[in-house]
Amino acid sequence: MPDTFAAKVIEITNRIPRGKVATYGQIAGMAGSPRAAKTVGQILNRQSQTHNLPWQRVINRQGRISIATLEYPAQLQAELLGQDGVKVEERDGSFWVDLKKYLW
DNA sequence: AAGGTGACTAACA
DNA sequence: ATGTTAGCCACCT
């Protein structure tokens, strides 16, 4: 496991407790670069294709699922979160999580 | 090696 | 309050 930013992001993502969620910015900060939220998204996007990663526990700052990828539709992420014990409410085609309650 | 890119954010109009 | 703009920064080609 290389000691890179990407590796940390993956490791941190794996450590998100069941029933909790984290934001991209939060993970970026824990990985050492508080302003690299976008990079976190890119990493998850790519790494999820080759690793089994709980990427569904990572959402944006508003608690909204911002997945647009065809391989991983937001609806699938919503279901996975539901299995994690996280309530996901659908609003206008998007899925939302109560950060106050579920933020790691 | 250099430039383009994005599953983000915060700030501004 | 909602929409748009502009930084951000590591990864990929």
Side-chain angles (χ1 to χ4, degrees), chain A residues 9-79:
Chain A
V9 170
I10 295 172
E11 189 180 1
I12 292 168
T13 301
N14 273 319
R15 284 179 183 159
I16 299 175
R18 183 174 172 284
K20 294 284 184 180
V21 298
T23 68
Y24 296 100
Q26 182 182 4
I27 290 183
M30 289 189 279
S33 299
R35 302 299 151 193
K38 279 176 122 178
T39 308
V40 172
Q42 281 192 321
I43 293 168
L44 290 181
N45 180 29
R46 292 174 174 286
Q47 297 299 315
S48 63
Q49 296 175 27
T50 55
H51 295 52
N52 284 69
L53 211 18
W55 50 270
Q56 68 275 15
R57 291 174 184 165
V58 185
I59 59 187
N60 71 13
R61 200 66 176 85
Q62 305 183 323
R64 186 173 80 69
I65 295 176
S66 50
I67 301 296
T69 316
L70 299 176
E71 338 288 325
Y72 300 101
Q75 187 175 341
L76 170 62
Q77 179 169 11
E79 291 180 20

